[in-house]
Amino acid sequence: MKKNILLGLFSILLVAGCVNFLGPQQASVDTSNIVSMQPASVSVIPKPPVGTETEFTVTFEVKNQDKAKSVDVDINLFDWGVCGNPTISCAPRTDSRSKQCETLNLVPQQTELVEIKAETPSKEEIGGIAASCPIQWRAQYRFSTVSNAGFNAVSREKMKESQRANKPLEIPLGSSNVGTGPVKPFITFGTTENFVTAKSPIQLSVQVKDQGDGTFNSIVENSLSIIVPKEWYLAVADEDGDDKAREACTKKFYPVDAISELRSRANLKTVTFTNKDAIPLINRETPPQVCNFKAPDLDAENIPQKSYQVSAKLENYIYTLDGKQVVDVKP
Amino acid sequence: MRKIFFLAAILFVSGCTNISETIKAGLLTVDKSTEDILVHAELSQPQLKSGMSTNIKFTAENKQQFELKNFALNVFDLCDFTCTVSGSSTEAPQFSADTIRPNRTKDFQMNCKAPVVESERTCEIKFRSSYEGSLGQTHDIFVVTESEFATGRTKVSPLSTETKSPLKISVSWSDTQPFVENDDAILYLDYSYTGEGIIEKLRPGDVSFVFPKNLELEEGRCIDFVKSEIGENNYTLAKDLLFIAGKAKRSTCVFKTKASQPIDSGKLSLKAKFKYTLDGSLPVTVVPKKSI
C-alpha cells in the first residue's frame, strides 16, 4: 500500500518537474490573429432570452497575442437591431459611454474586457412575438509585419574547389521567417537550392497573403517594402545599366535610395524597393511580386561564399475584425 | 526506500528546470583541426539582440614540432555584423602570422556589433584559415648484386619514416626489396590528403626527393619531376598536381639499380610543402528588440 502511494507521488512529481521539458511553454497562439476576439469569450448577462425593456450586457475579451509588439485597437459598435441605448466601453476606461471605444493600447499578451450595454425593446415594439437583436461590432488595428529569407552566393572558385574535393558545399540554411499577424509577406526564390553561383541571376518573389479571420483588401501605396542586399542591386546596375536596376522589382516598385548614394556610402548595405501603387488582394492574396537581381562577382573580391538576407515589410496596414452576438428577446 | 523515491523525484524536478532556456548565454566554440594545427573559434554570445556587441576570438595552435608558415585567417561572411579589429572597423577582417612556432598559439580577436533585425535571424559567420604545412619522409633502399641474390639467403628490412601531416604521399615500388642490380625499379608516388579542409594542388617545387647512389635516374624517366640544380640526385616537382576527390594523379619514376657491394643500402628522402585550407563557421542568432 505504502509502496503504491510512493509510486503515485513519484509519478506526480515526475510530471510536474517536466512541464518545461521541451523548452518554454509556447501558448498555442495562432500568429495569424494578433488580436483575438474569440466567440468563446463572449457572454451575455442576463442569460438570453432576455425579457422586454431589460438592460443586458454583452462582454468579450480582446487580447494582443503578439509577444513583442504593442497594438492599438479601435472598436466600434455598428448594429444593435431593435434593441436600444447601445453603449460600448473598454475596461478599464469604463466611464466612456458611446458607440466607440477609446483606442485600446494593448501591450504584448495584454487582455482587456469590452462591455456592450443595450436595452431590449418593449413588448409593443416587437409586436408581442419573440425577436432578436444582432449586436455587431468592428475592431480595427494597425499592424506591421516583416518576413525574411536567407539566401547564399558561392564563388565559382569555391564551387570548383568543393567539386574537385568531392566535398559537399556547406551552405547555411539561414533564417527564413514569416512575419506575425494576419497579413504577411511570403518570400520565395526561383531556385531549387538556397544558393546561386557568383554573377548568376537571382529571382525572388514576394506574395502577401491574408490568413486571418478578418478582412484586408488592398495594400496601400508605399507600405510594402522589399529590402535586398545592395550588392545584388549594384550587380544589375553594373552589368545591365542603372535603368534596368531601378526596375528590378518591375515598374510597380521603385528603389528608395539613389544608386549613386548606394555606391558612395559603404555603410548602406541594403536597398529598399517600395510599391508605387496600391496592390489589391484577390482571393485573400496578391499576385507574386517578382524581382530580378544578380549575385555579385565574389571571385573578384576573393570571397568564397556569402550569406544574404532579404526582407519584405508591410507597414501600418489596417486589419478589420468583425464580431457578432445575437441576443434573443422574449416578449 | 521512501527517501530514495523522494530524492529521485527532487533530482528529476531540478534536472528539468534548466533545459528550457531560450536565449543561450555563454560561449560557443568551434574547433577545426588537422595533424598540423588547431584553429579554435570562440563566440561570446551565440544569441544576442539587435545592436548588441559580442567578441569573436580565434586561436591557432601549432601542433607540430616544426614551424608552420604563412598562417592566414579571413572572416569572409560577417552576416551583416559590424566588426572592429584593434579599434578600427573592417568589412572583411583578416589576420595573419608569418610563422607559428612549435606548440605555440596565436590569438586574434575582434568585436562585432549585431545588425538591426526586425525578426529573428540565424546566420553563420564564416571564416577561412590557411597555412603552409610540410611533410618529410625517408625510405631505405636495398640493392643486391646478382651473386648475392643468387644465394637466396638475403633478407632485408627496409624502414620508412614520415612526419605526421594531412598530406599523405604513399611511396611504393614495382618490386619488393631488395632490388637486384642493373634492373628497373619503378617508384610510384600517390598523393592524397585527409581532414575537413582542402589542398587544392601541389605546385611546381612543392615536392622534391633525393635518391641514393644505389639508384640511377635517366633524364625524362621521372614523369612530373625535373632535376634540381640544388644538388646531385635531387629532383623536384615540375608541374601542378591537382587534387580531385582528395587525390592527385600518381607520379612514376623509373630508376636503374646499382650495387657497389653485395648488399648496397641507401636512403631516399622526400620533402613536400603544401597549402592547407580549412573553412569554419560560427552560428549566431540575432533577435529583434521588443517594440512596445
Side-chain angles (χ1 to χ4, degrees):
Chain A
M1 183 64 182
K2 266 186 178 178
K3 199 176 174 184
N4 285 343
I5 292 168
L6 277 171
L7 273 173
L9 192 61
F10 180 67
S11 310
I12 292 163
L13 283 167
L14 199 81
V15 174
C18 285
V19 167
N20 269 336
F21 196 75
L22 296 171
Q25 275 282 291
Q26 296 282 322
S28 56
V29 174
D30 176 6
T31 54
S32 294
N33 292 308
I34 287 299
V35 171
S36 71
M37 296 191 308
Q38 293 110 332
S41 75
V42 181
S43 63
V44 182
I45 300 166
K47 203 175 173 187
V50 183
T52 52
E53 295 179 75
T54 309
E55 188 182 74
F56 66 91
T57 309
V58 176
T59 55
F60 60 91
E61 282 183 350
V62 180
K63 184 180 180 187
N64 175 7
Q65 302 207 83
D66 199 80
K67 291 194 165 176
K69 295 176 191 162
S70 293
V71 181
D72 290 336
V73 188
D74 291 307
I75 304 172
N76 70 307
L77 194 58
F78 65 88
D79 187 18
W80 43 90
V82 291
C83 290
N85 296 327
T87 58
I88 185 167
S89 67
C90 302
R93 305 177 186 88
T94 47
D95 292 338
S96 166
R97 287 277 166 201
S98 69
K99 291 177 188 63
Q100 184 163 353
C101 271
E102 275 181 50
T103 300
L104 268 177
N105 177 256
L106 301 175
V107 297
Q109 301 287 307
Q110 185 181 348
T111 304
E112 287 298 343
L113 195 69
V114 177
E115 199 175 69
I116 297 169
K117 283 191 175 171
E119 267 176 37
T120 53
S122 64
K123 211 172 185 178
E124 290 73 36
E125 281 174 299
I126 56 172
I129 54 170
S132 61
C133 296
I135 308 295
Q136 291 193 76
W137 63 93
R138 169 165 284 186
Q140 284 191 312
Y141 61 94
R142 280 179 188 276
F143 200 70
S144 296
T145 185
V146 60
S147 300
N148 54 42
F151 201 69
N152 300 276
V154 181
S155 72
R156 288 172 196 279
E157 189 55 40
K158 166 94 180 178
M159 197 79 174
K160 206 161 67 182
E161 218 175 67
S162 303
Q163 284 168 353
R164 270 195 202 132
N166 202 21
K167 290 187 175 174
L169 278 171
E170 287 174 9
I171 304 290
L173 284 175
S175 46
S176 289
N177 299 307
V178 177
T180 54
V183 184
K184 39 201 160 210
F186 290 82
I187 303 168
T188 48
F189 289 94
T191 53
T192 47
E193 308 277 1
N194 69 337
F195 71 92
V196 290
T197 46
K199 295 180 83 175
S200 302
I202 299 172
Q203 187 178 75
L204 68 97
S205 75
V206 175
Q207 191 172 22
V208 176
K209 296 180 184 179
D210 175 6
Q211 296 183 331
D213 295 333
T215 51
F216 177 70
N217 299 323
S218 178
I219 297 168
V220 298
E221 64 264 30
N222 293 317
S223 64
L224 177 63
S225 302
I226 300 169
I227 302 150
V228 297
K230 103 175 165 184
E231 292 166 52
W232 295 9
Y233 179 57
L234 293 180
V236 178
D238 292 344
E239 202 154 313
D240 305 324
D242 291 1
D243 289 342
K244 187 93 176 166
R246 278 188 208 98
E247 289 173 10
C249 289
T250 72
K251 289 183 179 174
K252 290 185 224 164
F253 286 81
Y254 66 93
V256 175
D257 313 285
I259 291 183
S260 55
E261 202 173 346
L262 288 165
R263 281 204 172 99
S264 61
R265 287 177 57 189
N267 60 337
L268 268 182
K269 291 184 175 163
T270 57
V271 58
T272 303
F273 281 82
T274 302
N275 64 317
K276 281 180 194 166
D277 306 309
I279 305 169
L281 274 77
I282 300 157
N283 288 333
R284 296 169 74 84
E285 61 187 35
T286 65
Q289 310 296 310
V290 179
C291 299
N292 288 294
F293 295 101
K294 267 193 179 134
D297 187 0
L298 296 180
D299 294 274
E301 297 168 54
N302 203 19
I303 298 171
Q305 70 184 73
K306 199 165 177 182
S307 59
Y308 298 98
Q309 178 95 341
V310 172
S311 306
K313 197 194 277 187
L314 181 61
E315 285 178 292
N316 279 323
Y317 69 87
I318 298 172
Y319 200 71
T320 304
L321 273 172
D322 288 342
K324 183 178 180 180
Q325 177 67 40
V326 176
V327 178
D328 293 326
V329 183
K330 64 175 177 189
Chain B
M1 184 67 175
R2 189 189 295 174
K3 279 179 185 170
I4 291 168
F5 268 123
F6 271 109
L7 195 62
I10 289 162
L11 279 173
F12 200 92
V13 171
S14 62
C16 288
T17 51
N18 254 347
I19 299 171
S20 61
E21 275 186 344
T22 48
I23 294 191
K24 292 170 203 158
L27 224 57
L28 172 83
T29 60
V30 170
D31 285 343
K32 293 280 164 182
S33 173
T34 69
E35 284 89 338
D36 294 326
I37 202 166
L38 168 71
V39 179
H40 175 83
E42 248 180 50
L43 177 65
S44 306
Q45 284 295 340
Q47 186 160 1
L48 68 172
K49 284 186 177 176
S50 276
M52 289 175 87
S53 288
T54 184
N55 288 324
I56 300 175
K57 186 180 166 190
F58 299 99
T59 305
E61 182 191 339
N62 181 355
K63 290 158 69 176
Q64 291 286 20
Q65 296 304 313
F66 50 84
E67 279 186 351
L68 292 178
K69 290 179 181 165
N70 296 325
F71 177 81
L73 191 140
N74 173 18
V75 188
F76 60 84
D77 190 358
L78 284 174
C79 295
D80 292 331
F81 275 66
T82 307
C83 297
T84 52
V85 179
S86 311
S88 53
S89 178
T90 172
E91 287 250 316
Q94 290 186 338
F95 307 98
S96 61
D98 290 341
T99 54
I100 306 176
R101 285 159 58 197
N103 294 317
R104 294 290 179 89
T105 58
K106 289 268 182 189
D107 291 339
F108 311 101
Q109 196 159 340
M110 60 185 192
N111 182 268
C112 295
K113 194 174 167 188
V116 175
V117 296
E118 292 184 61
S119 56
E120 188 173 298
R121 180 178 177 186
T122 56
C123 192
E124 288 179 15
I125 293 176
K126 287 194 152 285
F127 59 91
R128 168 168 282 192
S129 54
S130 62
Y131 67 91
E132 198 179 290
S134 59
L135 164 75
Q137 292 184 357
T138 61
H139 301 273
D140 288 343
I141 311 288
F142 291 96
V143 180
V144 294
T145 56
E146 280 185 50
S147 54
E148 176 65 26
F149 181 72
T151 64
R153 286 185 303 209
T154 314
K155 282 186 182 171
V156 293
S157 304
L159 295 175
S160 294
T161 59
E162 69 173 325
T163 54
K164 279 183 187 172
S165 169
L167 173 68
K168 311 288 176 196
I169 300 181
S170 162
V171 172
S172 57
W173 296 91
S174 53
D175 294 298
T176 50
Q177 294 197 50
F179 304 130
V180 183
E181 66 177 335
N182 297 320
D183 199 1
D184 283 344
I186 307 171
L187 167 72
Y188 302 109
L189 300 176
D190 290 289
Y191 311 89
S192 63
Y193 64 83
T194 55
E196 294 173 78
I198 287 174
I199 298 175
E200 190 201 353
K201 60 184 173 186
L202 294 170
R203 293 170 177 79
D206 279 357
V207 185
S208 61
F209 63 82
V210 180
F211 59 87
K213 287 183 176 165
N214 57 4
L215 295 176
E216 251 180 10
L217 185 59
E218 285 173 26
E219 197 64 43
R221 300 217 71 189
C222 189
I223 299 164
D224 307 330
F225 285 79
V226 288
K227 198 171 188 325
S228 165
E229 290 168 4
I230 299 168
E232 212 183 333
N233 293 354
N234 193 332
Y235 274 69
T236 181
L237 186 66
K239 61 181 191 185
D240 280 349
L241 290 179
L242 213 60
F243 282 95
I244 295 167
K247 288 181 179 176
K249 182 195 87 66
R250 165 185 270 195
S251 298
T252 308
C253 299
V254 183
F255 291 94
K256 193 61 101 183
T257 54
K258 286 194 307 184
S260 56
Q261 49 188 303
I263 301 173
D264 195 337
S265 69
K267 211 175 271 288
L268 181 136
S269 62
L270 184 143
K271 279 183 190 170
K273 61 177 181 174
F274 56 91
K275 185 183 174 188
Y276 198 86
T277 307
L278 260 175
D279 284 354
S281 59
L282 290 161
V284 61
T285 303
V286 185
V287 294
K289 284 184 177 168
K290 281 190 167 60
S291 57
I292 296 172

